[in-house]
Amino acid sequence: MLREESDSAELTGSTVFKDERKQAYFNPEGADRPLISPVPAATLDLARRYRLERLRRKMREWDCGALLLYDPVNIRYAFDSSNMSIWTMHNASRYALILADGPAILFEFEGADHVNDGLPGIDEIRPAKSWIFFTAGNLMEPRLKAWADEVADLVSRNGGNKRVAVDRLEPAGAFELRERGFMLLDGQELAERARSIKSTEEIELMRWTIRVCEAGMARMYEISEPGRTEREIWAELHFENARSGGEWLETKLLTAGPRTNPWYQECSDYVIKRGEMISFDTDMIGPYGYCADLSRSWTAGHVAMSAKQKELYAAARDQIEHNLSIIRPGMTFQEFNELSWRIPEKYQPYRYTLALHGTGMADEWPGILLHPDFDPNFSGCIEENMVLNVESLIAEAGSESIKLETQALITARGAVRLDTFPWEDI
């Protein structure tokens, strides 16, 4: 049915509905130039101080002697220090140690100390002791013990207790620290709970990342023409993010036509046909390390949607608008689930499992599942100054998928959207 509709659109030459509103998201100085952040340096410094203090406050609440961080997102949050983030996600070659009653120390990759010049939260920089097999090989055991000895010495010399929160650590490292008498706590939970409440300055930085993302989306929209491949369109977002100071894209979720259903296929060399639905999820880590996680769906060639496309799109909008409208600070996750939009049965086999999730320097806690998947034992509360993403994925047997998502700040009055890139007129 879908292919027949697409072929029919080709033959009849459907009316083009080019949305001029989207052109406003380009760089006003010219689409051939990167966007330059207007955020003052003082705002960034205030955000840096706030974030480090959030971690220290959680450490006090948890009675931690130290917090050991390997996750590059957590290191960025703590110090605003970024160095080979993707590479160090799978090569544990730099880390941080924040001591409850002592300094905040960055253990940097050899020869890269200078990338941290001017970062106020770092009290000391030391060379990282890497004991991963890639670089240590048969010397892994002595390097591992030297690493553990240094961590233990720093904690004991600074009067910290033996409770150490760790976000990510290979089993051998955990064993060595436990051999030295340490109790290891879940540092990822500690960090994500700290990260979940945003300062005013963080929101200003996030708004700029969203501005860059929406400029990339405008570029994607402009080239969403028949004959393009999925990868060609996805590359426009990479381009805008990279040239405007952004970092990386977490996924490759852009597909078109029959490849939109089932969801989670990555963009490919599929050549898009006129009238097919193009659906995507940005998952963009942009300037200042913040995430812009936005989803939109529109037709190739900017033609009028078919009746089925309109039906699915309207349902997705209903889900987004309903769930946005009910969010209030103080609402438990269970209360949100009970009041949330109920996905019709025919769409349920193709659903997106998340209804809401937190967003900061990446997707983060809390991840609140859609009502068919929600566990009533999942506890927690929506709080003011969280940033939550509201999700929708609507499809049925044999149809395309519509993917929509918006990013919202939780205020005393409820959810206030941070993104403004237009939905489609149907």
Side-chain angles (χ1 to χ4, degrees), residues 2 29 31 50 70 77 85 125 143 172 178 182-183 190 229 237 260 265-266 328 336 370 377 417:
L2 176 63
E29 301 299 322
Y50 171 84
Y70 269 92
Y77 181 84
S85 296
I125 299 177
R143 291 186 184 182
R178 287 190 174 120
F182 290 102
M183 175 186 293
L190 184 153
T229 68
L237 182 61
T260 62
Q265 298 188 73
E266 296 188 328
R328 294 290 183 275
F336 170 81
L370 199 66
N377 294 314
R417 285 182 59 195

Side-chain angles (χ1 to χ4, degrees), residues 97 291 350:
L97 185 68
C291 180
Y350 311 92

Side-chain angles (χ1 to χ4, degrees), residues 39 66 79 117 198-199 217 248 271 288 311 335 353 400:
V39 179
F79 296 148
D117 289 348
K198 310 299 188 292
S199 70
M217 290 162 65
W248 68 86
V271 178
Y288 305 110
E311 173 195 324
E335 288 169 338
T353 54
E400 297 165 298

Side-chain angles (χ1 to χ4, degrees), residues 253-426:
L253 293 174
L254 181 146
T255 49
R259 298 192 71 257
T260 62
N261 186 9
W263 192 242
Y264 288 118
Q265 298 188 73
E266 296 188 328
C267 64
S268 72
D269 59 2
Y270 175 76
V271 178
I272 302 170
K273 298 175 180 60
R274 182 181 175 85
E276 288 185 331
M277 188 61 67
I278 299 170
S279 297
F280 64 88
D281 191 343
T282 62
D283 293 314
M284 188 189 98
I285 310 302
Y288 305 110
Y290 282 93
C291 180
D293 191 5
L294 309 176
S295 295
R296 296 292 188 273
S297 299
W298 54 60
T299 58
H302 315 295
V303 300
M305 292 185 194
S306 69
K308 178 56 67 177
Q309 289 170 335
K310 288 180 180 180
E311 173 195 324
L312 299 172
Y313 196 97
R317 281 292 306 276
D318 285 349
Q319 182 176 15
I320 293 282
E321 299 300 341
H322 175 90
N323 286 346
L324 269 175
S325 71
I326 65 172
I327 296 172
R328 294 290 183 275
M331 171 183 276
T332 67
F333 300 160
Q334 176 69 46
E335 288 169 338
F336 170 81
N337 176 67
E338 290 171 356
L339 295 172
S340 66
W341 191 82
R342 267 27 198 176
I343 186 167
E345 187 174 343
K346 65 180 178 178
Y347 302 145
Q348 287 195 19
Y350 311 92
R351 67 186 179 272
Y352 196 77
T353 54
L354 282 171
L356 300 178
H357 68 79
T359 305
M361 287 188 152
D363 290 353
E364 61 188 25
W365 180 87
I368 303 175
L369 297 180
L370 199 66
H371 64 91
D373 309 294
F374 185 83
D375 187 331
N377 294 314
F378 183 60
S379 64
C381 184
I382 294 171
E383 299 181 57
E384 191 171 347
N385 296 320
M386 281 182 167
V387 172
L388 296 179
N389 274 56
V390 182
E391 299 262 15
S392 180
L393 177 69
I394 299 294
E396 62 183 43
S399 80
E400 297 165 298
S401 293
I402 302 294
K403 180 72 172 69
L404 301 180
E405 181 179 11
T406 188
Q407 198 157 320
L409 172 66
I410 309 308
T411 71
R413 305 183 309 278
V416 176
R417 285 182 59 195
L418 296 174
D419 61 300
T420 60
F421 197 84
W423 308 113
E424 301 309 294
D425 287 330
I426 60 170

Side-chain angles (χ1 to χ4, degrees), residues 95-164:
Y95 48 98
L97 185 68
I98 301 172
L99 296 152
D101 299 310
I105 304 169
L106 178 66
F107 294 82
E108 186 55 272
F109 191 83
E110 184 179 359
D113 291 11
H114 57 280
V115 303
N116 304 289
D117 289 348
L119 296 179
I122 302 172
D123 296 310
E124 182 183 353
I125 299 177
R126 294 188 175 202
K129 287 184 169 61
S130 175
W131 44 271
I132 60 174
F133 181 77
F134 167 46
T135 53
N138 64 301
L139 301 176
M140 180 175 170
E141 186 171 352
R143 291 186 184 182
L144 172 62
K145 292 186 181 301
W147 165 86
D149 288 342
E150 183 177 30
V151 171
D153 178 66
L154 283 166
V155 175
S156 62
R157 282 199 294 111
N158 286 279
N161 61 35
K162 293 283 191 175
R163 293 166 53 86
V164 176

